[in-house]
Amino acid sequence: MSGFTRIEPQATPMFSMLKKGAAPKASYSEWCVDDLSAPVLTTVEEGNDVTTYANPGENRARIGNHLERQDRSWQVSDLEMLVEDAAVPNQVAEAKAKKLLELRRDIAATIGSDQGNQVGGGGGGAAKTRGLGEWVKASAQTNNPVATAYLTPAASINTTAAASFAESDVNGVLESIYSVTGDLGNFKLYAGTSLKKEFSDFSRTGSSNGVYRQNEDAAKNKVTKNVLVYEGDFGSIDVVTDLFLARDGSAASQGMRGYLLDPSLVEVAFADGPSHYDQEDLGGGPRGFYKAWYMTRVKNPRGLGKFAATA
């Protein structure tokens, strides 16, 4: 018998589904954001000349992010190459496949983290890219902060604990985003396991979130309590469970973390990779590594939402 069974989370839905943007051409890349002025009700009397002018670019701002490098290396010993292994017919191929999968998980966890960005070199350590937890934030970041006018509104970030979480919390975030964008969008919610269960609880009779009645055909011997699509007053949400959110936080934070994303506003941009590099065998066995240079690119944080309870 050959082969073996590995029980570990392998799917990285947010990383897999996010748009892959154009390759960055600099270690720190920037892009521009802009807004519209508030509507005015001022009238102009007939015959008046225009005497005041506004600069349409006065509120433009630049935001940006750093490239980050992550590696996963492998080595197969010389003895492993000499003997037969019923479970692993090709040790090098297995090593490469495993390390590529692990690198994908590393990248997914970084994208879904609260990591701030950081310039590399000069004694400051390795460069870091900003995770979505720091992008979707109502207060200024420490490094390369987003201009105040383009931070995510506080009302678009919900921190209600699981015990008190209700449908009104979801509608509140959707309403806040709608007030900014004016678009009844189709959002993707990448949700931790606890947050996903809260959405399914919306359908349960007698739950703390309100009472809903649902009739099902008993002959099917099946009870459905799984909410994958939520339609609210201010948009619809496709709910996707993800195990790689807030990995730099507590277990409770991971479970209740959720990113409510307009897919057109968020992308991952690779300058290199993930690419594989074989290295010279110096006697101990074949070896090599995978490498990726990448960044998260949020085109405008004002249009995103977050669920960030810690309990």
Side-chain angles (χ1 to χ4, degrees):
M1 182 179 69
S2 63
F4 55 87
T5 302
R6 181 183 297 124
I7 303 296
E8 290 285 346
Q10 299 186 35
T12 54
M14 185 167 68
F15 170 47
S16 298
M17 296 172 74
L18 285 178
K19 177 183 176 182
K20 304 307 183 285
K25 301 300 182 184
S27 60
Y28 179 76
S29 293
E30 292 183 302
W31 50 97
C32 290
V33 289
D34 199 3
D35 64 2
L36 297 175
S37 62
V40 297
L41 303 179
T42 306
T43 59
V44 179
E45 188 176 352
E46 178 187 1
N48 282 8
D49 292 329
V50 176
T51 58
T52 59
Y53 301 87
N55 177 2
E58 62 185 354
N59 292 328
R60 291 174 189 161
R62 290 177 176 269
I63 57 176
N65 205 0
H66 290 286
L67 281 168
E68 173 173 324
R69 172 178 165 174
Q70 286 185 291
D71 297 351
R72 279 284 184 165
S73 60
W74 61 271
Q75 181 172 7
V76 176
S77 74
D78 54 344
L79 180 58
E80 286 178 306
M81 294 297 293
L82 293 172
V83 300
E84 292 187 0
D85 188 333
V88 185
N90 188 323
Q91 293 283 357
V92 171
E94 168 60 24
K96 291 180 177 180
K98 181 176 181 179
K99 292 306 172 181
L100 178 58
L101 175 59
E102 289 176 346
L103 180 58
R104 286 181 59 87
R105 288 168 25 121
D106 295 343
I107 296 171
T110 301
I111 294 169
S113 74
D114 292 327
Q115 175 177 282
N117 66 1
Q118 174 178 291
V119 64
K128 294 181 179 181
T129 199
R130 180 176 288 151
L132 283 177
E134 276 286 290
W135 273 119
V136 190
K137 192 175 179 181
S139 57
Q141 296 84 358
T142 301
N143 297 324
N144 308 113
V146 173
T148 301
Y150 300 101
L151 290 168
T152 304
S156 298
I157 300 173
N158 184 277
T159 58
T160 304
S164 305
F165 194 83
E167 190 174 358
S168 58
D169 294 305
V170 180
N171 264 325
V173 173
L174 283 172
E175 181 180 8
S176 176
I177 295 175
Y178 175 72
S179 69
V180 171
T181 66
D183 182 17
L184 296 173
N186 187 0
F187 298 95
K188 293 285 188 184
L189 174 64
Y190 299 97
T193 53
S194 300
L195 182 60
K196 174 61 175 66
K197 288 191 296 183
E198 293 300 322
F199 272 78
S200 295
D201 279 347
F202 293 162
S203 68
R204 295 181 185 274
T205 300
S207 74
S208 61
N209 300 309
V211 177
Y212 295 81
R213 297 193 180 276
Q214 180 176 317
N215 296 322
E216 296 194 16
D217 185 356
K220 294 181 178 179
N221 296 318
K222 179 181 179 181
V223 177
T224 303
K225 298 295 182 183
N226 181 23
V227 173
L228 299 177
V229 178
Y230 174 86
E231 293 188 1
D233 295 323
F234 305 101
S236 63
I237 301 173
D238 295 328
V239 185
V240 181
T241 310
D242 197 307
L243 291 171
F244 294 93
L245 310 180
R247 280 294 184 109
D248 47 352
S250 66
S253 297
Q254 294 172 34
M256 282 300 290
R257 178 58 58 90
Y259 296 114
L260 191 58
L261 306 182
D262 176 341
S264 69
L265 294 180
V266 183
E267 58 188 34
V268 183
F270 284 88
D272 178 34
S275 300
H276 183 264
Y277 298 84
D278 283 310
Q279 293 185 291
E280 183 182 2
D281 181 353
L282 298 178
R287 55 185 181 159
F289 66 95
Y290 280 96
K291 178 181 72 173
W293 278 103
Y294 69 98
M295 67 166 59
T296 56
R297 187 180 285 146
V298 174
K299 296 180 180 179
N300 194 324
R302 279 173 56 78
L304 307 181
K306 180 171 71 174
F307 297 92
T310 57

